[in-house]
């Protein structure tokens, strides 16, 4: 398959691994501790486990799975707010499929649907808008979720609804932003990261410039990365090469998709419809300033939080759930107290086990890395 097979060539993968090994061998400071490189995006985590990339890497490199899955970082209280909206009799509540099973404090959206709420899965916000056209006697709410990757489509749908004068369509807005989150990870007292793989899809919208602070202020190399196996291996090689050469820069491995300046029409649509919230609550990371967006006053009539009452309660995660520590890279999924026992993809306790992009689900579904192998990787290279 053209444009796919080229990025899955095992011979090229082996060559990249050998080159990474050669770079690592020339870095004597790795005798003190392994390099920790975070892949921010859940899509990268999925590729790493699907193709067994982590097992190919040399000792001295440890991948840390970041918070880049919007479903995984959704606080339990926001799920409860979704359910409260969905259970209103006049509402058709629409959502992407991966958000259906995220547990709230009482139930998930799937549970609410089983109890009689009109919850429907859609593939885009335009599908939700089409439902609003077909059901003018109902209120259609779209669960707007995701990083900058999905914000343009949501914003453009709102602008379409405005042009058509549709009055029964609104958003429950949970869009979040990437840069403040990376900054929160870098400011964590437990942080030991040496470099980053930046999210390719987000970068396609925002471009290269927003990541400059990682190199300039924190002295960490960061490489914008695609989603095929060779994309990730090449990006790891680029990060390690920067470290070996004592450089800290933003590099763009995914230049076939990501323009340096980003997607200007998409950014304009985002800026027209949304504004930054003062703070937003993240599962496992707490409140992060300016890390989420809300609708501007000019579009308040499309804002479900202003049109309907929502509980807006703060709900703590179960004490046994350690999603937050996994998101920050403090522990690995299999080190969580409930991983694989009380928390499985069939009966998830934490959000990281629900989403297909969650680190716990990736470990569980692909079973590629055994605890013993990981423990060995943590050992100091002698």
């Amino acid at each position: 398959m053209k444009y796919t097979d080229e990025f899955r060539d095992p011979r090229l993968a082996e060559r990249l691994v050998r080159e990474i090994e050669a770079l690592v061998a020339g870095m004597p400071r790795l005798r003190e501790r392994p390099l920790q490189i975070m892949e921010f995006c859940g899509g990268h985590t999925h590729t790493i486990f699907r193709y067994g990339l982590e097992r190919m890497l040399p000792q001295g490199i440890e991948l840390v799975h970041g918070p880049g899955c919007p479903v995984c970082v959704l606080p339990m209280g926001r799920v409860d707010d979704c359910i409260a909206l969905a259970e209103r009799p006049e509402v058709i509540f629409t959502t992407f499929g991966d958000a259906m099973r995220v547990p709230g404090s009482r139930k998930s959206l799937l549970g609410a649907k089983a109890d009689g709420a009109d919850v429907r899965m859609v593939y885009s916000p335009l599908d939700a808008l089409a439902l609003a056209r077909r059901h003018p006697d109902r209120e259609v709410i779209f669960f707007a979720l995701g990083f900058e990757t999905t914000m343009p489509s949501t914003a453009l749908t709102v602008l379409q609804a405005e042009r058509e004068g549709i009055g029964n369509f609104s958003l429950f807005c949970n869009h979040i932003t990437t840069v403040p989150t990376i900054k929160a990870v870098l400011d964590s007292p437990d942080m030991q990261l040496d470099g980053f793989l930046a999210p390719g899809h987000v970068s396609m919208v925002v471009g290269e410039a927003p990541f400059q602070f990682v190199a300039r202020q924190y002295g960490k190399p960061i490489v914008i990365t695609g989603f095929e196996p060779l994309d990730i291996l090449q990006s790891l090689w680029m990060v390690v090469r920067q470290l070996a050469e004592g450089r800290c820069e933003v590099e763009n491995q995914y230049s076939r998709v990501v323009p340096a300046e980003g997607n200007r029409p998409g950014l304009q649509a985002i800026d027209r419809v949304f504004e930054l919230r003062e703070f937003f609550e993240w599962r496992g990371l707490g409140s992060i300033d300016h890390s989420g967006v809300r609708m501007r006053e000019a579009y308040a009539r499309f804002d479900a939080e202003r049109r309907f009452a929502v509980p807006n309660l703060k709900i703590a995660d179960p004490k046994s759930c350690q999603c937050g520590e996994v998101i920050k890279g403090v522990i690995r999924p299999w080190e969580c107290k409930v991983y694989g026992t009380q928390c499985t993809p069939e009966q998830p306790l934490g959000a990281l086990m629900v989403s297909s992009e969650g680190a716990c689900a990736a470990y569980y579904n692909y079973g590629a890395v055994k605890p013993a192998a990981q423990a060995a990787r943590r050992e100091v290279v002698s």
Side-chain angles (χ1 to χ4, degrees), residues 5 11-12 16 79 117 121 141 178 188 191 200 221 253 288 324 355:
D5 289 347
R11 291 170 300 177
L12 292 177
L16 278 168
V79 179
M121 189 183 76
I141 300 176
T178 308
S188 170
M191 200 279 296
Q253 183 275 337
I288 301 176
S355 169

Side-chain angles (χ1 to χ4, degrees), residues 215-348:
R216 291 177 180 171
Q217 296 179 28
Y218 291 89
K220 308 291 182 186
I222 181 166
V223 175
I224 296 169
T225 305
F227 294 87
E228 292 295 331
L230 291 186
D231 288 325
I232 291 176
L233 288 175
Q234 185 182 26
S235 297
L236 286 170
W237 172 76
M238 293 166 73
V239 169
V240 176
R241 185 180 62 172
Q242 285 199 43
L243 291 168
E245 295 174 353
R247 293 185 292 116
C248 298
E249 301 172 8
V250 179
E251 294 183 320
N252 186 1
Q253 183 275 337
Y254 205 30
S255 58
R256 67 183 186 278
V257 172
V258 176
E261 71 280 8
N263 182 330
R264 289 179 180 172
L267 291 170
Q268 288 169 356
I270 291 172
D271 185 59
R272 183 172 171 185
V273 173
F274 298 118
E275 63 183 3
L276 289 173
R277 296 177 188 259
E278 292 182 0
F279 56 85
F280 193 78
E281 189 76 19
W282 292 59
R283 178 173 291 201
L285 297 176
S287 179
I288 301 176
D289 293 349
H290 304 127
S291 63
V293 300
R294 62 188 173 200
M295 305 189 72
R296 291 188 182 276
E297 185 65 31
Y299 299 95
R301 63 188 182 283
F302 298 107
D303 187 348
E305 286 186 88
R306 301 187 207 193
R307 292 181 54 170
F308 307 98
V310 293
N312 198 24
L313 299 176
K314 308 295 183 188
I315 308 293
D317 288 329
K319 290 183 178 178
S320 56
C321 179
Q322 295 180 277
C323 280
E325 291 163 86
V326 175
I327 287 173
K328 289 185 287 189
V330 177
I331 66 170
R332 293 306 187 94
W334 46 264
E335 294 174 314
C336 174
K337 290 177 285 191
V338 293
Y339 171 81
T341 53
Q342 299 173 51
C343 186
T344 66
E346 292 75 25
Q347 291 186 318

Side-chain angles (χ1 to χ4, degrees), residues 4 33-34 57 66 73 87 140 174 177 202 225 234 260 297 320:
T4 300
R33 68 168 179 83
L57 296 176
V73 296
E87 289 180 335
V140 176
N174 288 268
T177 58
V202 167
T225 305
Q234 185 182 26
E297 185 65 31
S320 56

